[in-house]
Amino acid sequence: MTEAVGLLGGGVIGGGWAARFVLNGVDVRLYDPDPDAARKVDEMLENARRALGRLTYAPLPAPGELTFVSTPEEAAAGAGFIQENAPERLDLKRKLLAAASKVAPPEVVIASSTSGLLPSQLQEGMEHPERLTVGHPFNPVYLLPLVELCGGARTAPETIDRAAALYRSVGMHPLVVRREVDGFIADRLLEALWREALWLVHDEIATVSEIDDAIRYGPGLRWSGMGTFLLYRIAGGEAGMRHFMAQFGPALQWPWSKLTDVPELTDELLERLEQQSDAQAAGRSVRELERLRDDCLVAVLQALRANGVGAGETVAEYERTLVERAPSPARDAFRWETRVLPEWVDYNGHATESSYLLMTSHATDGLLSSLGIDADYLRAGGSYFTVETHICHLGEAKAGDRLHVTTQVLGADEKRIHIFVRIARDHTLLATAEQMLLHVDTKAGRAAPASPEVLTRVHEIVEAHASQPWPERAGRRIALRSGAPT
Amino acid sequence: MTEAVGLLGGGVIGGGWAARFVLNGVDVRLYDPDPDAARKVDEMLENARRALGRLTYAPLPAPGELTFVSTPEEAAAGAGFIQENAPERLDLKRKLLAAASKVAPPEVVIASSTSGLLPSQLQEGMEHPERLTVGHPFNPVYLLPLVELCGGARTAPETIDRAAALYRSVGMHPLVVRREVDGFIADRLLEALWREALWLVHDEIATVSEIDDAIRYGPGLRWSGMGTFLLYRIAGGEAGMRHFMAQFGPALQWPWSKLTDVPELTDELLERLEQQSDAQAAGRSVRELERLRDDCLVAVLQALRANGVGAGETVAEYERTLVERAPSPARDAFRWETRVLPEWVDYNGHATESSYLLMTSHATDGLLSSLGIDADYLRAGGSYFTVETHICHLGEAKAGDRLHVTTQVLGADEKRIHIFVRIARDHTLLATAEQMLLHVDTKAGRAAPASPEVLTRVHEIVEAHASQPWPERAGRRIALRSGAPT
């Protein structure tokens, strides 16, 4: 992956970056003058772990190390990439960027999370300003894929390329903004909408709750998969965008939006906003709302992934890289560790039946990886599928329990591998899962022998495991009485 | 349900209404002077059938009858509710509304789909204007739940109530706009955003494709579940909305949005929009794009339903009414239906192994429920646990596939129940799951006989199922060679 990332600032955005990098196996050195920074970043990490665990079954790498340092220079030292996340004040950002740029070698890219300060202005005072770019993410940074990139007058083209590559490597979707303008793209759109929303509250046309509902029960649903221009093109029917503009262009002249000044933020308006917002929250805490937001985002991302659309494709691509990067064969093919995730646990507080099979699937993935069943092999049309599974449940696991999962290969032929998986907490065996895997020619849609290379490795493993004792529970059948008819 | 609905106008909006009503079992009489109206509405119905079939497995009622008539009076005659969907021209709408109001008895509500003409103005010239309301839907009308209601100066309160009830009965989410303003709520917000988007194209900051991506890879994902105000409240952290406004309020004064006039729609700008839109569509037809849009919407709606949020709750409520209204078989402990949820699917697009066990668990829960294993029984210290499972995988399932899951009880004694679960898509068996359940005294922490009441029911079921053929795959063991040592 990459060497350490230095983070300058650890608030909502900086903490979000910390989570995204750390959970993708990247070491992070974080500077923030706030004495509470460590606690807040920790809470962000907890949210992020939860969200990521729900987002994908693909194996996450071992987390990176998170270190809190006392100066921006310490954050920058030894970093392969630096991300600045200070409050939106030009003087403050310049100071941090300049300090970091004195320490970081010229080839280290420095990105700013600024929502709208111009990169050309940020570059002032930096050593080697050509390595600066805007890298503007969206909250929650650990979940939303979009990051806007924008170079200043002195930014080198390769700076943008390298920042984009880094962001992609942690599952993001870089969008290059070709000319620097305040607010770039997304925030300009958001702000226009929000100004109008504030007018609606100001003029007492609607409450904050009603305004939010007007989005999320209607047009907001569309925007997760498609943007405004494509939606309008479709609405224009066969005649397309030209027709749409002809039909609806003139309406732009109508008094549908205030679009003049911002409503004055009087005490009265602020009071009204606060009251209505409290009513809308209906007693739910920030943490509850964050988790609800993240659960929706995860579900929506998975929905889009199932349809191969937009941000869903970003998730799918990210998963592919996670799988490809999974620990290399020799080390982890036959044993891995996990913690029982909160989402694996039922209302009794116990890990569900299906979570044991999930863990077994992960174990099998590791084994297959070690056999050379990689992305290329899959693309060439070969794969192993599970055709049969026998699970014995022996004990309970609770959320947070640390479990280890070991795989024993019992035998194989040219099409099949017979394995036995044990799931244990320390020395307590909690479950066993015996499986038969079948090699399939996915293009022909039927069973077929694995490749000679794979078979060679399979036989090596069968030999290596032959000395292990035959599992007590292998070959079991289910019956009320032993000797019962099959 | 309701008697027939009269539709005045059958374009994108009118056709969408036709689809929503017809597919919910409501007869529709549609007037549109366009000779092509029937063909276009038919295509809309095709899209809608497809989308609705993917949205819910709940049984849809027999479709209503769709009749095309030659005059607005014929559409209004005999209708229990009338919906006007003409182009956004005051004179045209008034004419149609007046004509319909002469024919429709005073108690028949007449709604207008206007995006922004004021209901007080629409009421002019109508007989019994107190029965008019705006009922403004969003494209595609057969999928998006939001409908904005707004009364004019003379509208009776019960008109709003009755229109809302009707819209709810066909699965929508009515939002009452308390004061009439041009554009109501949602379109004001959309227009503000769109004006800014047009400026970005005009000023050559971004292409239509980049602007759309800025939404759908970022903030657009959030808006499917939560609106701007709640999102900003969360971002404000523990200090809430007041803190957010203090931090970000001042930024509203920055030049982030043009927010002055609309860019002039010159030939040059229109040309640019058209070219960029064509490039974005990349050869895909309107029909393809409509279906892609609908597939995303369906998936997102199901994702939100799984989380009990917003429009997802609307879908869940709608499904409950569909189920309640369906011709009723007795509640079935031994069969249930589901759709493969997006989160059950791996990066190959197939339902994961563990999702089959999840479905099996659901089936078992249904069985246990029917035995009387309810909250009281659990509190008293009894429960059945799965001790052994044998799964055979026979076929693949994809996201959205409709599956049914049946349970056969093979046998039981005082502590155990032996069951066999089949998971199929139509007539194709995809997986079998044989299980042994063990009754446990949870307080003593060991196996124990179930209560006499439960055992009575268990034995009733064993007897009832005894006549079913013994499953081919019951009692299987896993082995490379049959007769292999155990």
Side-chain angles (χ1 to χ4, degrees):
Chain A
M1 253 288 306
T2 188
E3 320 116 291
V5 164
L7 294 180
L8 311 174
V12 171
I13 296 300
W17 277 123
R20 190 177 271 274
F21 284 121
V22 162
L23 295 179
N24 278 286
V26 179
D27 293 338
V28 165
R29 299 168 63 76
L30 196 154
Y31 160 74
D32 193 305
D34 176 3
D36 254 349
R39 173 182 70 80
K40 292 174 182 172
V41 173
D42 216 62
E43 286 169 4
M44 179 83 67
L45 263 162
E46 206 185 306
N47 272 355
R49 254 183 234 113
R50 180 176 173 282
L52 228 60
R54 297 175 79 115
L55 179 67
T56 178
Y57 294 138
L60 287 172
E65 205 178 310
L66 173 58
T67 315
F68 290 88
V69 297
S70 325
T71 65
E73 288 83 0
E74 285 173 79
F81 185 89
I82 296 165
Q83 183 86 29
E84 174 276 310
N85 322 291
E88 290 293 309
R89 281 173 40 203
L90 189 56
D91 60 321
L92 186 47
K93 285 184 179 296
R94 269 184 175 157
K95 199 160 152 231
L96 287 168
L97 292 167
S101 74
K102 283 186 177 49
V103 171
E107 64 273 8
V108 173
V109 168
I110 302 181
S112 169
S113 297
T114 184
S115 322
L117 295 171
L118 301 182
S120 291
Q121 294 177 309
L122 294 173
Q123 284 171 323
E124 300 280 340
M126 282 181 72
E127 305 259 343
H128 296 282
E130 65 275 8
R131 38 88 167 268
L132 175 106
T133 176
V134 163
H136 172 233
F138 293 79
N139 183 32
V141 181
Y142 51 83
L143 260 189
L144 289 187
L146 184 71
V147 54
E148 290 173 318
L149 275 67
C150 190
R154 288 185 270 177
T155 301
E158 59 158 19
T159 298
I160 305 284
D161 294 340
R162 289 168 57 206
L166 180 94
Y167 292 137
R168 260 186 226 107
S169 76
V170 289
M172 302 185 88
H173 179 93
L175 179 63
V176 177
V177 183
R178 59 191 66 225
R179 274 174 50 193
E180 50 179 2
V181 279
D182 311 89
F184 309 117
I185 302 176
D187 276 355
R188 296 188 76 92
L189 302 171
L190 263 62
E191 167 133 329
L193 186 144
W194 190 37
R195 279 190 200 209
E196 192 58 34
L198 287 172
W199 273 116
L200 288 169
V201 175
H202 179 275
D203 293 349
E204 295 182 281
I205 310 291
T207 65
V208 304
S209 191
E210 290 162 351
I211 293 166
D212 278 2
D213 282 356
I215 290 294
R216 72 203 191 102
Y217 284 95
L221 292 166
R222 298 186 300 216
W223 279 329
S224 53
M226 280 184 182
T228 292
F229 282 105
L230 192 58
L231 287 164
Y232 287 173
R233 178 199 180 81
I234 297 171
E238 278 127 34
M241 178 57 76
R242 198 95 191 196
H243 174 76
F244 182 84
M245 291 306 298
Q247 272 230 301
F248 295 99
L252 286 165
Q253 298 296 341
W254 299 353
W256 277 19
S257 339
K258 284 275 181 172
L259 297 186
T260 52
D261 285 325
V262 177
E264 210 194 319
L265 300 180
T266 58
D267 270 348
E268 189 191 353
L269 179 55
L270 291 172
E271 188 66 37
R272 187 180 305 158
L273 285 169
E274 190 178 28
Q275 275 179 14
Q276 291 181 6
S277 176
D278 285 348
Q280 185 186 34
R284 292 170 295 179
S285 68
V286 175
R287 183 52 41 82
E288 283 175 87
L289 290 170
E290 282 173 343
R291 292 187 164 191
L292 181 62
R293 175 200 66 197
D294 289 358
D295 287 352
C296 289
L297 280 173
V298 165
V300 166
L301 286 167
Q302 289 173 332
L304 295 171
R305 179 193 60 187
N307 282 277
V309 172
E313 279 187 311
T314 311
V315 173
E317 181 53 44
Y318 172 57
E319 284 184 315
R320 279 191 285 273
T321 50
L322 284 176
V323 168
E324 273 166 28
R325 279 191 222 144
S328 66
R331 258 192 301 143
D332 293 296
F334 307 108
R335 181 192 167 96
W336 70 288
E337 291 194 14
T338 184
R339 189 179 291 283
V340 174
L341 300 180
E343 51 269 22
W344 292 354
V345 159
D346 65 20
Y347 45 80
N348 290 319
H350 298 131
T352 61
E353 295 175 58
S354 48
S355 72
Y356 288 95
L357 188 47
L358 186 63
M359 292 184 245
T360 302
S361 305
H362 285 169
T364 307
D365 284 347
L367 169 66
L368 294 179
S369 227
S370 80
L371 295 175
I373 310 297
D374 57 14
D376 288 335
Y377 194 91
L378 295 172
R379 260 191 292 270
S383 193
Y384 275 97
F385 287 80
T386 305
V387 289
E388 209 159 356
T389 302
H390 194 101
I391 305 173
C392 295
H393 293 282
L394 308 165
E396 299 281 3
K398 295 186 327 297
D401 278 359
R402 294 181 61 159
L403 308 180
H404 56 268
V405 183
T406 52
T407 304
Q408 179 178 351
V409 176
L410 298 184
D413 59 25
E414 59 171 12
K415 293 181 191 166
R416 298 176 297 169
I417 306 176
H418 182 191
I419 68 172
F420 196 87
V421 173
R422 295 172 176 87
I423 300 172
R425 180 185 54 232
D426 298 320
H427 299 292
T428 306
L429 189 60
L430 298 180
T432 64
E434 183 180 12
Q435 291 199 311
M436 186 67 76
L437 312 178
L438 178 70
H439 188 271
V440 171
D441 176 337
T442 52
K443 296 177 183 189
R446 62 173 175 268
S451 75
E453 295 78 19
V454 167
L455 286 175
T456 300
R457 279 189 219 106
V458 168
H459 290 128
E460 280 169 6
I461 293 169
V462 170
E463 291 232 4
H465 285 199
S467 56
Q468 293 184 30
W470 193 259
E472 180 190 334
R473 289 183 175 80
R476 277 181 69 93
R477 59 158 58 104
I478 295 178
L480 276 172
R481 292 175 303 290
S482 42
T486 53
Chain B
M1 253 290 301
T2 188
E3 321 117 292
V5 163
L7 294 181
L8 312 172
V12 171
I13 296 301
W17 277 123
R20 189 176 273 275
F21 283 121
V22 163
L23 296 179
N24 278 286
V26 180
D27 293 338
V28 165
R29 299 167 63 75
L30 194 154
Y31 160 72
D32 194 305
D34 177 4
D36 254 347
R39 173 183 69 81
K40 293 175 182 171
V41 173
D42 216 59
E43 287 169 1
M44 179 83 66
L45 263 161
E46 206 185 306
N47 272 355
R49 257 183 230 111
R50 182 176 171 284
L52 226 59
R54 297 175 78 113
L55 179 67
T56 178
Y57 60 80
L60 287 173
E65 202 179 314
L66 173 58
T67 314
F68 290 87
V69 298
S70 325
T71 66
E73 287 82 0
E74 283 172 81
F81 184 90
I82 297 164
Q83 182 86 31
E84 173 277 309
N85 321 291
E88 290 295 309
R89 281 172 40 202
L90 189 57
D91 60 322
L92 186 47
K93 285 185 179 295
R94 268 185 176 157
K95 199 160 152 235
L96 287 168
L97 291 168
S101 73
K102 283 186 176 45
V103 170
E107 63 274 10
V108 173
V109 168
I110 301 180
S112 169
S113 298
T114 184
S115 321
L117 295 172
L118 300 183
S120 292
Q121 293 178 309
L122 294 173
Q123 282 171 326
E124 300 280 343
M126 281 181 73
E127 305 259 342
H128 296 284
E130 64 275 8
R131 39 90 165 265
L132 176 106
T133 175
V134 164
H136 172 234
F138 294 80
N139 182 34
V141 182
Y142 51 82
L143 260 189
L144 289 187
L146 183 71
V147 56
E148 290 175 315
L149 275 66
C150 190
R154 287 185 271 176
T155 302
E158 59 158 18
T159 298
I160 306 281
D161 294 339
R162 289 166 59 205
L166 180 95
Y167 292 137
R168 260 188 225 106
S169 76
V170 290
M172 301 185 87
H173 179 93
L175 178 64
V176 178
V177 183
R178 61 193 62 227
R179 274 176 47 194
E180 52 180 1
V181 279
D182 312 88
F184 308 117
I185 301 176
D187 276 356
R188 296 187 74 93
L189 302 171
L190 262 62
E191 167 135 331
L193 186 143
W194 190 37
R195 281 193 199 206
E196 192 57 33
L198 286 172
W199 273 117
L200 288 170
V201 175
H202 178 276
D203 293 350
E204 294 182 280
I205 308 291
T207 64
V208 304
S209 190
E210 291 161 350
I211 292 165
D212 279 1
D213 284 355
I215 289 296
R216 69 202 193 102
Y217 284 95
L221 293 166
R222 296 187 302 217
W223 279 329
S224 53
M226 279 184 183
T228 293
F229 283 105
L230 192 58
L231 288 164
Y232 286 173
R233 176 196 181 84
I234 297 170
E238 278 127 37
M241 179 58 75
R242 197 97 192 195
H243 174 75
F244 182 85
M245 292 306 297
Q247 272 228 303
F248 294 99
L252 285 165
Q253 298 294 341
W254 299 350
W256 277 19
S257 338
K258 284 277 183 175
L259 297 185
T260 52
D261 285 327
V262 176
E264 209 195 320
L265 300 179
T266 58
D267 271 348
E268 190 191 353
L269 178 56
L270 290 172
E271 189 65 40
R272 188 180 304 157
L273 285 169
E274 190 177 28
Q275 276 178 14
Q276 292 182 5
S277 176
D278 287 347
Q280 184 185 36
R284 291 169 297 179
S285 69
V286 174
R287 182 53 40 85
E288 284 175 85
L289 291 170
E290 281 172 344
R291 293 188 164 191
L292 181 62
R293 174 200 66 196
D294 288 357
D295 287 352
C296 289
L297 279 173
V298 165
V300 166
L301 285 167
Q302 290 173 332
L304 295 171
R305 179 190 60 188
N307 282 276
V309 172
E313 278 187 310
T314 311
V315 173
E317 181 54 42
Y318 173 56
E319 283 182 319
R320 277 191 288 273
T321 49
L322 285 175
V323 167
E324 273 164 30
R325 282 189 219 145
S328 56
R331 178 63 60 98
D332 204 332
F334 308 108
R335 181 193 166 96
W336 70 289
E337 292 193 16
T338 184
R339 187 180 296 282
V340 174
L341 300 181
E343 53 268 24
W344 291 353
V345 159
D346 64 20
Y347 41 80
N348 289 319
H350 297 133
T352 60
E353 296 175 58
S354 50
S355 70
Y356 289 96
L357 188 46
L358 186 62
M359 291 184 244
T360 303
S361 304
H362 285 168
T364 308
D365 285 346
L367 169 65
L368 294 178
S369 227
S370 79
L371 294 175
I373 310 297
D374 56 14
D376 290 333
Y377 193 93
L378 295 172
R379 260 192 293 270
S383 193
Y384 276 95
F385 287 80
T386 305
V387 288
E388 208 160 356
T389 302
H390 193 100
I391 304 173
C392 294
H393 293 280
L394 308 164
E396 299 280 5
K398 297 186 322 300
D401 277 358
R402 294 177 59 161
L403 308 181
H404 55 268
V405 182
T406 53
T407 304
Q408 180 179 350
V409 176
L410 300 183
D413 58 26
E414 57 171 16
K415 294 181 193 167
R416 298 175 296 170
I417 307 177
H418 182 192
I419 69 173
F420 196 87
V421 174
R422 294 171 176 86
I423 300 173
R425 180 185 54 232
D426 297 320
H427 298 291
T428 306
L429 189 59
L430 298 179
T432 64
E434 183 180 11
Q435 291 200 310
M436 186 66 77
L437 312 178
L438 179 70
H439 189 273
V440 171
D441 176 336
T442 52
K443 296 176 184 190
R446 63 170 175 272
S451 75
E453 294 80 15
V454 168
L455 286 175
T456 299
R457 277 187 221 109
V458 169
H459 289 129
E460 277 168 7
I461 292 167
V462 169
E463 292 234 4
H465 285 199
S467 56
Q468 292 183 31
W470 194 260
E472 179 189 332
R473 290 181 176 80
R476 278 179 69 95
R477 59 158 57 104
I478 294 177
L480 276 172
R481 290 174 304 288
S482 43
T486 52

